Amino acid sequence: MLHALEREYEFEEGKKLTDFAFCGTKDDFHAKIKFLANMAESETWSFEGRTNSILTKYINTAFRQCYREKKIMYSDNNEYACFNTGLLTPHGHDIIAWFAVNLNTDAQEKWFFKGFKDKSDKHFMNMFSLVPELATYTDNFADYYFNPELNIEINSNHILEENWDNIKDILKLDKAIVKTLLFGVLEEAKKKIKRNFRLVVPQFYNEVIMYLLPIEFPIGNNQTETLALAVQKIDNQYRANTIFTLDVAYEKARLLMKPESSWLSEKNVKIFLNR
């Protein structure tokens, strides 16, 4: 019933879902994403009223990676296509995004985005005899793990200049003080990570695996503020690229997998936003 993978279209690196298929109006697409949120295992898909914003970015990323890896599946009659969202129903079933041939012959997109189905759905099983493969984000499973023994290079001037508007109101400290603190809080983070490497959360950005490290700034009265330092492995060391607030860090991490580390939990992000 099913031939997976390649068909007549030319492979395009980084193809977007909206280039591949007609997704309807913005309201139509949002309705499909809402349906998916209700269909999948329960989790937080948005913060501060941005309805399902994380899920929307997740689906676009999952499609792009499946397309890049040639994991889009097509029915034998070429009338349907699908990809594995990487999400599960509460019963542990794969959730599949599926497409039908676009009947509008004047449209640029060959496919019409129909929505999402449980892999056990009778209609899906009639179209496809197999479940499409999951997207993978690296050929080396070890890339998901941070090596605390390697050096971390940090350009404090660049990082603070780039992110100051996002963090100054959170830390409420002078920039010169934050610059001085940055090296100290990084050293403290490295000590903790050596004792618990699970504190580091992987993320997928610019088509490579990167990492989010928790850094705790002292802000007075025995209080600290946790932010996320994004680092990338370059040769045999890490380079610190930027600083994220917890909500932004969670969103970026969720594109790859649901964060399991306590400092970047849904609960802590909500506390951070609701203070």
Side-chain angles (χ1 to χ4, degrees):
M1 292 273 303
L2 171 96
H3 301 283
L5 318 188
E6 303 194 45
R7 276 293 188 272
E8 70 285 295
Y9 66 84
E10 181 180 354
F11 177 68
E12 300 172 37
E13 187 75 13
K15 193 177 184 74
K16 296 179 181 179
L17 176 58
T18 51
D19 294 330
F20 180 79
F22 178 69
C23 296
T25 66
K26 183 180 293 186
D27 288 343
D28 290 337
F29 184 70
H30 287 168
K32 291 182 175 72
I33 296 296
K34 181 179 179 180
F35 177 86
L36 175 61
N38 293 328
M39 181 182 186
E41 293 176 312
S42 179
E43 63 177 286
T44 296
W45 287 116
S46 58
F47 297 109
E48 291 194 321
R50 295 170 288 179
T51 306
N52 293 325
S53 60
I54 298 174
L55 182 56
T56 300
K57 291 179 181 178
Y58 171 89
I59 285 298
N60 281 304
T61 300
F63 168 80
R64 190 171 65 247
Q65 193 64 10
C66 283
Y67 191 93
R68 180 178 292 111
E69 296 179 337
K70 301 183 181 180
K71 290 180 178 176
I72 308 296
M73 284 188 158
Y74 303 86
S75 61
D76 280 348
N77 58 13
N78 273 338
E79 292 183 358
Y80 301 101
C82 69
F83 73 93
N84 196 322
T85 66
L87 301 177
L88 298 173
T89 69
H91 299 293
H93 293 176
D94 292 70
I95 298 177
I96 311 300
W98 71 289
F99 310 85
V101 167
N102 194 344
L103 298 181
N104 181 357
T105 56
D106 294 327
Q108 292 183 332
E109 307 89 352
K110 175 178 177 178
W111 300 97
F112 184 92
F113 178 40
K114 299 288 287 185
F116 303 95
K117 286 189 177 294
D118 185 312
K119 72 165 188 177
S120 63
D121 179 89
K122 182 178 179 180
H123 189 202
F124 173 77
M125 295 177 71
N126 286 337
M127 293 184 291
F128 304 96
S129 59
L130 300 174
V131 174
E133 295 180 38
L134 294 168
T136 54
Y137 294 86
T138 176
D139 294 329
N140 184 1
F141 191 74
D143 289 342
Y144 289 109
Y145 295 97
F146 180 83
N147 184 348
E149 300 300 326
L150 298 183
N151 181 51
I152 301 175
E153 286 292 327
I154 185 167
N155 184 333
S156 58
N157 289 327
H158 168 73
I159 289 177
L160 292 182
E161 289 300 326
E162 183 182 75
N163 298 279
W164 187 244
D165 288 342
N166 296 327
I167 64 178
K168 64 181 180 180
D169 293 334
I170 296 170
L171 297 179
K172 296 181 173 61
L173 296 171
D174 184 81
K175 187 187 293 185
I177 294 176
V178 175
K179 179 181 177 181
T180 302
L181 289 173
L182 186 56
F183 292 95
V185 298
L186 177 57
E187 289 303 313
E188 287 299 312
K190 288 163 67 175
K191 290 179 183 178
K192 293 179 180 179
I193 290 166
K194 283 185 177 181
R195 289 158 176 79
N196 181 9
F197 68 90
R198 293 179 183 273
L199 288 172
V200 178
V201 177
Q203 66 160 332
F204 187 68
Y205 184 69
N206 281 347
E207 318 311 333
V208 296
I209 302 293
M210 297 188 188
Y211 309 91
L212 299 168
L213 285 60
I215 51 175
E216 295 184 10
F217 287 91
I219 57 174
N221 297 323
N222 295 319
Q223 293 182 316
T224 61
E225 189 68 66
T226 301
L227 297 173
L229 183 69
V231 303
Q232 178 182 2
K233 189 175 182 183
I234 305 292
D235 296 324
N236 203 37
Q237 65 176 352
Y238 294 103
R239 181 185 67 198
N241 291 330
T242 191
I243 294 177
F244 295 130
T245 55
L246 293 190
D247 55 326
V248 175
Y250 186 96
E251 178 180 286
K252 292 183 178 298
R254 187 59 189 90
L255 298 181
L256 183 61
M257 63 182 73
K258 184 177 180 180
E260 298 293 343
S261 192
S262 59
W263 70 273
L264 199 55
S265 65
E266 297 174 6
K267 178 181 177 181
N268 278 353
V269 175
K270 290 176 181 178
I271 292 173
F272 167 80
L273 291 173
N274 292 329
R275 290 168 310 174

